[in-house]
Amino acid sequence: MDSIAGLSRLYIRKDIYADVYPVIDNTCIYKTYDIEVAPIALDSTECVKQTFVATKDATLGSVNVIIGTYGRNNNWTLNVELVDETENKVVIENSINCSELGDGVYASVLEGEVQIIANHRYSIVLSSEDATESDYIALFSDGGYATEQSYVIIDGERQDYNIAVKLLAK
């Protein structure tokens, strides 16, 4: 891990990295590599979990993911939870009307002051009970840059990538 002007850069491969920013009001405290490749369709048959290990204590303000709507007006509900896997508890949850989401941009899916504890494993859980095969959103992945600290689980199976996500400090 290198530090560049207060920015820590975790190298996953030689030219691919995840930026971890210092905890300052309204700054990013965790972010995966946010290239928009390999979209993951999120319909009622899928449950997507992005896991990460907190590297320091922080007050989380929001969780943001890149959403793809493909220009559709999606009429269903996205359920989102932030789970402290170390303590096995939901720390914050939200339901979002997907018709309010933009296409190809970061969407704030969780907001609220939540204490993040260093060295705890967390999961951002995204699911829907009413999305269909023709009415769904896509979550964008980084195309294959998972680490032991950060990866996606879909329906119980670990994947070799992350979804494009950033956590902002309060």
Side-chain angles (χ1 to χ4, degrees):
M1 178 157 350
D2 292 342
S3 183
I4 304 169
L7 166 73
S8 295
R9 185 160 280 179
L10 172 64
Y11 284 88
I12 297 167
R13 292 191 184 161
K14 182 177 179 181
D15 58 341
I16 304 298
Y17 55 86
D19 289 334
V20 182
Y21 295 81
V23 180
I24 301 172
D25 287 348
N26 297 317
T27 60
C28 192
I29 56 175
Y30 170 80
K31 181 176 185 244
T32 60
Y33 190 69
D34 61 359
I35 56 176
E36 296 180 20
V37 298
I40 305 158
L42 182 62
D43 61 29
S44 62
T45 65
E46 299 285 330
C47 177
V48 177
K49 294 171 74 171
Q50 171 66 52
T51 69
F52 65 96
V53 174
T55 57
K56 62 173 66 175
D57 293 341
T59 301
L60 178 66
S62 67
V63 174
N64 304 271
V65 296
I66 295 181
I67 301 288
T69 65
Y70 301 102
R72 292 186 308 267
N73 184 9
N74 298 289
N75 295 306
W76 54 275
T77 303
L78 174 64
N79 301 310
V80 186
E81 297 176 336
L82 179 64
V83 178
D84 182 331
E85 301 287 354
T86 305
E87 295 187 6
N88 196 27
K89 70 177 185 179
V90 175
V91 293
I92 189 170
E93 58 189 334
N94 189 25
S95 294
I96 300 165
N97 180 335
C98 287
S99 66
E100 300 171 2
L101 299 175
D103 188 21
V105 295
Y106 276 105
S108 179
V109 295
L110 285 175
E111 293 182 351
E113 290 189 27
V114 175
Q115 289 304 120
I116 300 296
I117 302 167
N119 300 314
H120 279 216
R121 178 171 294 280
Y122 292 89
S123 290
I124 302 161
V125 182
L126 302 116
S127 64
S128 176
E129 296 172 3
D130 54 353
T132 67
E133 289 184 14
S134 61
D135 188 13
Y136 63 91
I137 61 168
L139 302 169
F140 289 95
S141 79
D142 62 12
Y145 302 106
T147 67
E148 285 302 311
Q149 289 75 36
S150 179
Y151 53 86
V152 166
I153 299 171
I154 298 180
D155 293 333
E157 290 189 37
R158 182 177 166 165
Q159 309 298 311
D160 64 351
Y161 51 80
N162 295 289
I163 60 171
V165 62
K166 64 181 175 180
L167 281 61
L168 299 179
K170 184 73 177 169

